Amino acid sequence: MFQNRYVKTIILSRVLLHLGIWTRNFAVLLFVSERTNNDPVYLSLISVAEFAPIFLFGLIGGTFADRWPPKRTMVWSDLLSGLSAGVVLLVLMNGGWMALFIGTFVSASLSQFSQPSAMKLYKRHVPAAQLQGVMALSQTLVAIFMVVGPVIGTFLYLQFGITVSLLLTAVLFLGSSLILLTLPRDLAETKPGDASGFLAELQAGLRYIGSHRALRTLCLTFSVVGLASGLTQPLQMFLVVENLRQDQSFLQWLVMTNGAAMLIGGAVLIGIAKKVQPQLLLMVGLLVTAVCTIGLGSSTAMGLTLVLLAISGFFFPCIQSGIQTLLIRNTEGALIGRVSGTITPVFMGMMVVGMSVSGSLKDTFSLGAVYAASGGLILVGAALLLPLVMEKKRRGESSAT
């Protein structure tokens, strides 16, 4: 896997990209927090700028990723992200700090074109036996930056300020673009370029998901798990201040515990990925996460809470790796962008729905009840996978006979 040129190059570019994203996100968050005196409206706009593009451009970006050469798409996406950070810096230096929201929105939008293109290259150039390991490696990278990203971003802003942080962000994005330039040229593809062709391809992608049982199941599972994640996402602070009776600053230790466990789990998963079916991997990850989620809502002991976070973090890579592997294995290469560009926004959309009602549900019922409901939804998501697991088992038994 590590000898594959595409894997090494894309992962190296993603390291720079993640570092740039975390540097930018925390610089923007801390700068806006200081400038607005922690105004919740402005702070919420940061999340809108980061997540709205997933809804607006997820499917569109995936469709274009299928039409455009993947290497070129990724290079231009990272290049334009770097240039947008530079433009925002110039505007900021002239007093227009509101441009920070626009820059974040533009950069997040461009990622909706880049990510499906990376999946397309993996589909083409990574052997099927190695795909699950590559997905685990990608998830491990995400876990690493969940641990070190906030620390690096905060340190850079506090030490050097917004100007240096944005300048470094631009350099990192441009560096990612240059690394991707070392990939071999894209294979020649014949794609229609007219608007009607684009709409037809977009609709074909939706029909493709609807006609394939495995992809329909993944979409349903993703939507249920997204709703469950949204219910608990805004309530993590209450685990600290209500259940554990700790100061708000203690939240960082919960996040770091979860992220460090994700890192260890991802590293272990890389080693066993070839030996476990992705359907089973995904189901086990969901079942463990469901139990831990229910436990977190009722735990008032610091030790138990940290243990549950560590266990759920350790198994979280199983969920991401299982979903991504199933998605790639069950999708034709020409449609990988549209499929991934559809299923991911489904998850994010349902997560936002959950986030929008989680506060009122907590006020109406209790923190434990909301976490229990979230765990129950995750169990439903695991149950939806049963047909895929049983089908794979029957195929294995029939081939053995």
Side-chain angles (χ1 to χ4, degrees), residues 119-133:
M119 299 281 284
K120 192 173 182 180
L121 286 176
Y122 285 147
K123 175 74 173 181
R124 285 181 178 176
H125 301 288
V126 177
Q130 297 179 357
L131 274 177
Q132 196 158 308

Side-chain angles (χ1 to χ4, degrees), residues 26-72:
F26 268 78
V28 171
L29 176 64
L30 295 173
F31 179 84
V32 172
S33 177
E34 290 181 1
R35 179 60 65 95
T36 65
N37 195 27
N38 295 317
D39 188 310
V41 174
Y42 284 105
L43 294 180
S44 65
L45 284 176
I46 297 174
S47 297
V48 172
E50 293 174 359
F51 290 109
I54 299 177
F55 309 114
L56 299 177
F57 299 109
L59 180 55
I60 296 174
T63 303
F64 274 118
D66 284 336
R67 293 165 60 87
W68 294 341
K71 173 194 170 182
R72 187 184 305 172

Side-chain angles (χ1 to χ4, degrees), residues 259-338:
M262 285 175 58
L263 174 58
I264 297 172
V268 172
L269 185 58
I270 293 174
I272 66 171
K274 294 181 181 180
K275 305 174 184 178
V276 184
Q277 291 296 329
Q279 296 96 323
L280 184 60
L281 202 65
L282 176 56
M283 176 172 283
V284 169
L286 290 175
L287 289 174
V288 173
T289 301
V291 173
C292 290
T293 300
I294 296 172
L296 282 169
S298 57
S299 172
T300 57
M302 184 183 303
L304 177 59
T305 297
L306 291 175
V307 168
L308 291 172
L309 282 169
I311 294 174
S312 63
F314 182 85
F315 281 90
F316 184 76
C318 296
I319 299 175
Q320 290 296 324
S321 177
I323 287 177
Q324 297 297 335
T325 303
L326 286 170
L327 189 151
I328 293 180
R329 286 185 179 179
N330 290 280
T331 306
E332 297 176 14
L335 290 149
I336 192 70
R338 277 164 283 181

Side-chain angles (χ1 to χ4, degrees), residues 27-292:
V28 171
L29 176 64
L30 295 173
F31 179 84
V32 172
S33 177
E34 290 181 1
R35 179 60 65 95
T36 65
N37 195 27
N38 295 317
D39 188 310
V41 174
Y42 284 105
L43 294 180
S44 65
L45 284 176
I46 297 174
S47 297
V48 172
E50 293 174 359
F51 290 109
I54 299 177
F55 309 114
L56 299 177
F57 299 109
L59 180 55
I60 296 174
T63 303
F64 274 118
D66 284 336
R67 293 165 60 87
W68 294 341
K71 173 194 170 182
R72 187 184 305 172
T73 301
M74 295 175 70
V75 168
W76 275 102
S77 294
D78 292 352
L79 176 62
L80 292 175
S81 290
L83 293 177
S84 69
V87 171
V88 169
L89 178 57
L90 292 176
V91 176
L92 180 65
M93 293 173 67
N94 289 292
W97 67 273
M98 292 290 290
L100 290 171
F101 297 105
I102 299 175
T104 302
F105 181 88
V106 170
S107 181
S109 300
L110 290 169
S111 68
Q112 302 311 306
F113 296 83
S114 178
Q115 182 62 27
S117 296
M119 299 281 284
K120 192 173 182 180
L121 286 176
Y122 285 147
K123 175 74 173 181
R124 285 181 178 176
H125 301 288
V126 177
Q130 297 179 357
L131 274 177
Q132 196 158 308
V134 172
M135 294 300 102
L137 179 61
S138 298
Q139 184 56 42
T140 301
L141 187 65
V142 173
I144 291 174
F145 279 97
M146 281 188 66
V147 177
V148 304
V151 178
I152 294 174
T154 302
F155 174 80
L156 289 172
Y157 176 79
L158 294 178
Q159 292 295 319
F160 305 106
I162 187 68
T163 301
V164 173
S165 296
L166 287 180
L167 181 61
L168 182 59
T169 297
V171 171
L172 290 168
F173 284 157
L174 294 175
S176 175
S177 179
L178 290 175
I179 289 173
L180 291 170
L181 278 174
T182 64
L183 288 173
R185 295 182 61 182
D186 287 306
L187 300 175
E189 295 184 38
T190 303
K191 290 286 183 181
D194 57 309
S196 60
F198 168 81
L199 293 176
E201 290 186 18
L202 190 151
Q203 294 170 0
L206 295 175
R207 288 195 299 270
Y208 183 82
I209 294 175
S211 62
H212 285 72
R213 180 183 181 183
L215 294 178
R216 290 200 311 270
T217 301
L218 281 178
C219 197
L220 286 172
T221 300
F222 232 30
S223 63
V224 172
V225 175
L227 178 60
S229 300
L231 288 177
T232 57
Q233 185 71 24
L235 304 180
Q236 295 181 28
M237 184 62 72
F238 294 100
L239 291 179
V240 175
V241 297
E242 288 189 5
N243 283 11
L244 301 182
R245 305 296 181 182
Q246 297 291 321
D247 185 77
Q248 293 179 347
S249 61
F250 190 77
L251 179 62
Q252 64 179 319
W253 297 107
L254 300 189
V255 174
M256 291 182 67
T257 298
N258 190 251
M262 285 175 58
L263 174 58
I264 297 172
V268 172
L269 185 58
I270 293 174
I272 66 171
K274 294 181 181 180
K275 305 174 184 178
V276 184
Q277 291 296 329
Q279 296 96 323
L280 184 60
L281 202 65
L282 176 56
M283 176 172 283
V284 169
L286 290 175
L287 289 174
V288 173
T289 301
V291 173
C292 290

